[in-house]
Amino acid sequence: MTKQSNRGKNRALAQWVAEAAQLTKPDRIVWCDGSEEEKRRLTQEAIASGVLIALNQAKRPGCYLHRSNPNDVARSEHLTFICTPDKDDAGPTNNWAPPEETYAKLRGWLAGAMRGRTMYVVPYVMGPLKSPFSKVGVELTDSLYVALNMRIMTRMGQAALDLLGDGGEFNRGLHSILDLDPERRLICHFPQDNAVWSVGSGYGGNALLSKKCFALRIASYLGRAEGWLAEHMLILGLESPQGETTYIAAAFPSACGKTNLAMLLPPPAFKGWKVHTVGDDIAWLRVGPDGRLWAVNPEYGFFGVAPGTSTRSNPNAMKTVEHDTIFTNVAVTAEGDVWWEGMGFDPPKGLIDWRGQLWDPNSGKPAAHPNSRFTAPMTNNPVLSPKAEDPQGVPISAIIFGGRRASTVPLVMEASDWSQGVFFGASMGSETTAAATGQVGVVRRDPMAMLPFCGYNMVKYFEHWHQIASRLRNPPRIFQVNWFRKDREGAFLWPGYSENMRVLKWIVDRVKGRVGAEQTPIGLVPRKEDINLDGLEISAEQLRQATSIDPDEWRAELDQIEEYFKKLGADRLSDFQVRIEKARTALAKSG
Ligand code: OXD
Ligand code: MN
């Protein structure tokens, strides 16, 4: 077994690496330092072993393709467990398993699993390096793809060991792809130990342990204990032509356009307005000494969905992936460039599909996997916020909860206070997408877009949201949006993408007290005159439908929400019951 020297001084880390090596028996241990030299070396090794395929370096410098095992292309929610000593701590929405038995089972699977392989020790920091809110994690993995992706997604290497020092606390992530057999695949969280063990999958959300596992599931658990929130939210700054920037955090379920919104390029009618990206997926939110809510993005890169990304839907993402990007499961052109459905131009001849086969346009099958991805450094983003590295984060003025709903939920709606906003978030529903295995397109309740990511009891999580309010002297306003509402013929009522700027502007104007709204039984919605529609071809009727509250639909919606809360045991939260009753009474009055 060969070892490298730069192992840091942390004895607990050294001991844990030794224990993991004792169990998994790797041939080599490589401590990652995050250097350019290391990146070159690991990339060469990845190409030589077929883990990465070099794309056309003249067209896409520093870009590579990875093809997954076809059985391993999305998050496996049914194989994801929260292993707390008490089942109730995992709550009604998580799979639970007892910690000792689970460790024992995984130890059995992991015994000798890294024989013939290298164990990469990947130390990383979540959050800006000098931020008091940042946290250190170390992932031990036998996947070179994971090590290279972690280098993009986190502040990885020596800086993390330096921050950890001799005695600091860190998240312990142990990951092995084993043999990618779905029968021996589990993603297990042990929040009380600040540990994650993930085996049998190489897919981003299952295997890049910094992301969903640490920065959401474990961090949400830590956040409850420490008085802050870890959320599935993008963070953006919206700068007016006068130079005033307002920060917004927005929660959407996976593959519902968070990356597009975070990088939005305003339409021509919004001359002088700019969107700055702070983050596209995860926000760590804390109450500042000023009583405002402050947000940092713990990540350092973007793991975005490729299909549907185009110069129309997200020109800034297209620029972001021009270089130094790892693509996963996209199609490749004869010239060695990438292609995916919704990229904005027809598939060129001779396309190789995501499985590595010549693509037949008549096959009825997509060339790129619907959940194909790009991993790109955040510094590639031309509209990255100058505050993205600010150790204090940014002050949040508005929170948005958004889902994918063909009916019922209006384009945008404002809550009258924090508590109604928590109800908006907790009752959110959305149609499922390809980001997780399972049926696509069915409405499921996804509270705060955290259903797959809340690392503890969902009802306690709602209580935590309510409790945070007592420390917020200047709370953000809360909104709900739905870009995906359809008319009777099934056509989208709202054009979406860059036009969502119009909704963001209404939100900012509401926060600043500059614009009106109409009170409905469910929430406040903009009237036609409240939204800037310059340069947009949308009929008055279309906008009316997009923003309308249909009493029958809402009566049914409230019944479903009530039933869902009962199922969770959240009906004991009197606040939610009061909200439902109020809405029912208001609906009855409105006829
Ligand atoms: C993601 C997801 O990859 O939410 O961000 O699945
Ligand atoms: Mn996500």
Side-chain angles (χ1 to χ4, degrees):
M1 198 186 290
T2 61
K3 290 185 184 166
Q4 286 173 224
S5 56
N6 56 325
R7 267 172 267 163
K9 304 182 204 77
N10 192 296
R11 288 178 58 180
L13 172 57
Q15 192 184 336
W16 175 58
V17 172
E19 276 166 23
Q22 185 66 29
L23 173 67
T24 59
K25 306 261 186 294
D27 282 14
R28 288 199 309 154
I29 300 178
V30 170
W31 288 69
C32 293
D33 61 13
S35 66
E36 282 299 320
E37 183 283 320
E38 175 183 270
K39 178 186 171 190
R40 270 193 299 275
R41 179 166 43 81
L42 296 185
T43 304
Q44 282 317 314
E45 285 176 24
I47 293 169
S49 59
V51 168
L52 291 184
I53 297 166
L55 291 164
N56 183 327
Q57 296 297 299
K59 284 182 179 289
R60 272 185 211 268
C63 291
Y64 301 90
L65 168 73
H66 173 76
R67 290 199 183 108
S68 308
N69 185 313
N71 78 28
D72 188 33
V73 290
R75 280 184 293 99
S76 323
E77 293 180 4
H78 60 298
L79 302 175
T80 300
F81 283 78
I82 303 294
C83 307
T84 42
D86 186 346
K87 185 172 182 195
D88 188 56
D89 287 337
T93 58
N94 283 309
N95 300 314
W96 175 83
E100 286 319 318
E101 282 170 37
T102 309
Y103 275 133
K105 175 175 183 166
L106 295 181
R107 267 196 208 102
W109 287 3
L110 285 166
M114 296 192 192
R115 241 183 221 117
R117 297 181 184 175
T118 301
M119 175 195 276
Y120 300 92
V121 180
V122 183
Y124 62 91
V125 181
M126 297 310 279
L129 285 184
K130 294 200 172 66
S131 172
F133 310 138
S134 293
K135 293 196 181 282
V136 174
V138 182
E139 175 164 354
L140 311 181
T141 177
D142 56 8
S143 162
L144 190 44
Y145 168 78
V146 166
L148 284 163
N149 273 273
M150 288 292 286
R151 188 182 195 285
I152 299 176
M153 291 306 295
T154 68
R155 294 148 177 101
M156 185 270 254
Q158 195 59 43
L161 293 179
D162 293 346
L163 189 65
L164 190 58
D166 331 341
E169 170 62 14
F170 61 97
N171 178 269
R172 290 160 159 76
L174 178 55
H175 171 249
S176 170
I177 53 175
L178 288 186
D179 41 12
L180 295 176
D181 174 358
E183 296 298 319
R184 295 207 306 160
R185 178 174 298 161
L186 281 176
I187 301 96
C188 297
H189 303 70
F190 305 90
Q192 63 285 357
D193 302 334
N194 196 3
V196 183
W197 287 25
S198 167
V199 290
S201 169
Y203 173 73
N206 296 334
L208 309 179
L209 301 185
S210 60
K211 193 173 179 61
K212 303 302 184 181
C213 300
F214 180 30
L216 285 175
R217 297 194 191 98
I218 300 283
S220 61
Y221 176 97
L222 297 175
R224 177 163 182 257
E226 297 168 5
W228 54 281
L229 292 161
E231 295 299 326
H232 191 206
M233 289 180 179
L234 67 91
I235 310 163
L236 63 81
L238 188 56
E239 187 184 339
S240 73
Q242 293 71 37
E244 170 195 69
T245 302
T246 308
Y247 292 95
I248 297 175
F252 291 80
S254 308
C256 286
K258 280 209 300 298
T259 307
N260 292 347
L261 189 63
M263 297 182 181
L264 183 145
L265 188 70
F270 284 74
K271 213 162 168 275
W273 286 86
K274 289 186 201 131
V275 168
H276 305 283
T277 319
V278 180
D280 81 326
D281 195 41
I282 299 177
W284 284 0
L285 302 161
R286 288 167 200 267
V287 182
D290 58 358
R292 288 192 291 176
L293 196 62
W294 289 75
V296 295
N297 168 18
E299 300 192 283
Y300 202 42
F302 307 114
F303 181 62
V305 179
T309 308
S310 68
T311 43
R312 189 177 89 84
S313 68
N314 193 341
N316 289 318
M318 293 304 281
K319 291 201 181 105
T320 300
V321 303
E322 277 174 2
H323 60 97
D324 299 303
T325 296
I326 297 175
F327 294 91
T328 303
N329 297 335
V330 299
V332 184
T333 69
E335 288 179 308
D337 200 0
V338 291
W339 190 88
W340 49 76
E341 279 70 20
M343 200 177 185
F345 54 91
D346 290 340
K349 279 216 174 76
L351 203 59
I352 305 295
D353 72 9
W354 67 277
R355 292 168 184 260
Q357 314 286 325
L358 187 65
W359 183 62
D360 172 4
N362 300 317
S363 64
K365 293 189 186 143
H369 187 274
N371 192 37
S372 53
R373 298 277 180 151
F374 54 80
T375 321
M378 86 176 180
T379 46
N380 279 12
N381 176 6
V383 296
L384 183 68
S385 167
K387 296 277 188 187
E389 292 275 12
D390 193 314
Q392 298 307 322
V394 294
I396 298 297
S397 299
I399 289 176
I400 297 175
F401 292 115
R404 184 186 284 270
R405 293 293 298 270
S407 70
T408 317
V409 179
L411 175 64
V412 58
M413 180 159 74
E414 181 186 341
S416 50
D417 56 20
W418 179 269
S419 136
Q420 190 183 18
V422 175
F423 176 75
F424 278 4
S427 61
M428 220 172 92
S430 194
E431 290 158 23
T432 50
T433 67
T437 48
Q439 205 187 345
V440 169
V442 290
V443 173
R444 72 166 180 182
R445 295 286 142 197
D446 189 350
M448 276 90 170
M450 282 288 278
L451 180 68
F453 308 123
C454 183
Y456 64 100
N457 189 308
M458 188 63 89
V459 182
K460 293 188 178 141
Y461 168 74
F462 295 153
E463 282 171 338
H464 186 42
W465 263 84
H466 280 127
Q467 280 154 8
I468 289 270
S470 63
R471 290 190 287 129
L472 280 171
R473 287 195 303 284
N474 197 352
R477 298 268 193 99
I478 302 184
F479 298 80
Q480 184 165 21
V481 302
N482 176 22
W483 316 135
F484 302 94
R485 197 168 184 181
K486 291 182 177 165
D487 66 15
R488 277 207 189 86
E489 281 69 50
F492 286 112
L493 285 161
W494 179 251
Y497 301 116
S498 66
E499 306 300 348
N500 293 337
M501 171 67 210
R502 298 169 194 275
V503 174
L504 293 184
K505 172 147 187 318
W506 180 73
I507 288 174
V508 169
D509 285 343
R510 288 295 298 165
V511 167
K512 308 278 177 200
R514 292 195 286 239
V515 73
E518 181 190 340
Q519 182 72 61
T520 77
I522 309 299
L524 292 148
V525 300
R527 298 158 303 178
K528 186 168 176 291
E529 62 272 29
D530 298 324
I531 287 214
N532 180 340
L533 298 172
D534 292 354
L536 182 66
E537 279 189 29
I538 185 167
S539 69
E541 175 52 19
Q542 214 174 320
L543 186 71
R544 193 198 61 74
Q545 280 186 38
T547 53
S548 69
I549 300 285
D550 180 302
D552 287 337
E553 282 179 356
W554 270 96
R555 272 188 272 273
E557 180 78 4
L558 290 169
D559 289 350
Q560 284 162 25
I561 292 170
E562 186 175 46
E563 199 181 311
Y564 181 67
F565 284 162
K566 271 204 188 114
K567 208 172 97 193
L568 294 190
D571 51 333
R572 70 178 166 78
L573 304 180
S574 56
D575 202 83
F576 286 172
Q577 206 45 50
V578 169
R579 289 280 152 210
I580 292 173
E581 287 317 323
K582 264 192 180 168
R584 281 192 179 129
T585 312
L587 280 172
K589 274 198 195 135
S590 76

